[in-house]
Amino acid sequence: MIQPDLDLFGPAPQQLAAHTVLLPGFAVAQTEPLLDALRPVLRAAPWRHMLTPGGRSMAVALSNCGALGWVSDERGYRYSALDPQSGAPWPALPPVLLALASAAAAQAGFEGFVPDACLINHYLPGTGLSLHQDRDEQDFSQPIVSISLGLPAVFLFGGLQRSDRPQRIALNHGDILVWGGEDRLRFHGVMPVKPGVHPRLGERRINLTLRKAG
Ligand code: MD6
Ligand code: FE
C-alpha cells in the first residue's frame, strides 16, 4: 500500500512571501553536471575579490558567466559585458544552468525566464554577505533564481526597508530560491558560513544567482 504521506518526490516548494518560493533540493540531481559546467567557466574567469565603492576588498570571491557580469570597483556597481581582469567577454552561460534556472522559475510561477547573467559567489567558512538590494538590473519584472551548493547557510530575507527585521532561511546544498514581483527589491544577506566540510564541495559554499540584467 502506498502511504499517502510518503514523500516520493522530495520536500515540497515553500512559499516564503507573495512572489518568493524556496525549492528545496531542486538542483541536487544536477550537482555533477553543474560542477562540470562551472569548471571551464572558472578557468576562463577565475574567482576574484572585487573592491567595494569604498575601496575595500569584498569577503566573498566572485566570478560571472553570461552575456553580462556583475562588477564592483571604486566607481560603483554595474553590469559589464567584459571581464575587467582579462578584458575578454565573460564565459557563456552553460546550457545546464540556463535550463535549470528556467525550470525553477517556471516551478515558482515565472514562465519564460531567460537570464543573461549569472553571478557566482564563493564563501569560505566565516564569510557572509551584508544586507543589500539587487538593483543593478534593467528589468525588475524578471525574477532572480538563486542556486546554493556546498556548505549550508542562513539567508537573511528582509523587507523593502533596510530596517525591516529579516526572516532567517536555511539554504542547503541543491536548494533553489526564486523571487520576483513585489519581493524583487527586498533587502537580503547571508550570515557568516559556519565551519564545516561538505561531502562534495569541501569547506565552501557556492551560490549562483541568475538574472535578466540587460
Ligand atoms: C547568496 N544571494 O545566497 C547571495 N540576491 O549567497 C543573493 O545575494 C541573492 O540569493 C538576489 C536574489 C537571490 C539571492
Ligand atoms: Fe543579492
Side-chain angles (χ1 to χ4, degrees):
M1 199 188 97
I2 294 174
Q3 294 169 256
D5 61 347
L6 186 61
D7 194 349
L8 292 171
F9 303 102
Q14 285 170 241
Q15 193 85 38
L16 300 179
H19 297 107
T20 303
V21 180
L22 175 63
L23 303 169
F26 196 89
V28 167
Q30 300 291 319
T31 300
E32 294 310 316
L34 279 175
L35 294 177
D36 288 344
L38 286 176
R39 234 167 264 124
V41 165
L42 291 162
R43 262 198 301 275
W47 301 117
R48 77 286 306 272
H49 293 273
M50 291 191 179
L51 293 180
T52 65
R56 307 201 336 177
S57 176
M58 293 179 65
V60 172
L62 64 86
S63 183
N64 290 281
C65 55
L68 292 169
W70 186 86
V71 299
S72 175
D73 59 23
E74 288 102 327
R75 289 155 54 206
Y77 311 126
R78 65 195 167 279
Y79 280 93
S80 167
L82 302 179
D83 175 350
Q85 200 160 282
S86 65
W90 297 102
L93 261 180
V96 59
L97 201 49
L98 202 55
L100 187 60
S102 296
Q107 182 74 230
F110 298 96
E111 298 289 339
F113 176 55
V114 183
D116 59 9
C118 178
L119 172 53
I120 313 168
N121 283 152
H122 182 284
Y123 299 76
L124 289 170
T127 306
L129 190 61
S130 57
L131 275 188
H132 66 276
Q133 287 173 300
D134 285 34
R135 54 183 314 149
D136 302 318
E137 300 75 24
Q138 296 289 335
D139 183 358
F140 296 148
S141 76
Q142 291 301 304
I144 293 180
V145 172
S146 163
I147 306 170
S148 291
L149 299 172
L151 288 176
V154 175
F155 189 72
L156 299 171
F157 186 50
L160 295 176
Q161 307 294 326
R162 185 179 287 279
S163 56
D164 292 339
R165 180 192 291 272
Q167 300 178 51
R168 299 161 75 99
I169 296 160
L171 292 182
N172 294 302
H173 175 76
D175 288 355
I176 299 191
L177 184 61
V178 182
W179 71 20
E182 65 189 52
D183 299 320
R184 180 64 178 69
L185 291 176
R186 281 179 182 252
F187 281 89
H188 58 281
V190 180
M191 296 281 287
V193 171
K194 286 205 188 126
V197 182
H198 185 270
R200 184 62 182 90
L201 280 122
E203 297 183 87
R204 63 176 60 82
R205 170 175 187 262
I206 293 176
N207 178 261
L208 310 164
T209 46
L210 291 114
R211 304 117 186 273
K212 175 79 179 77

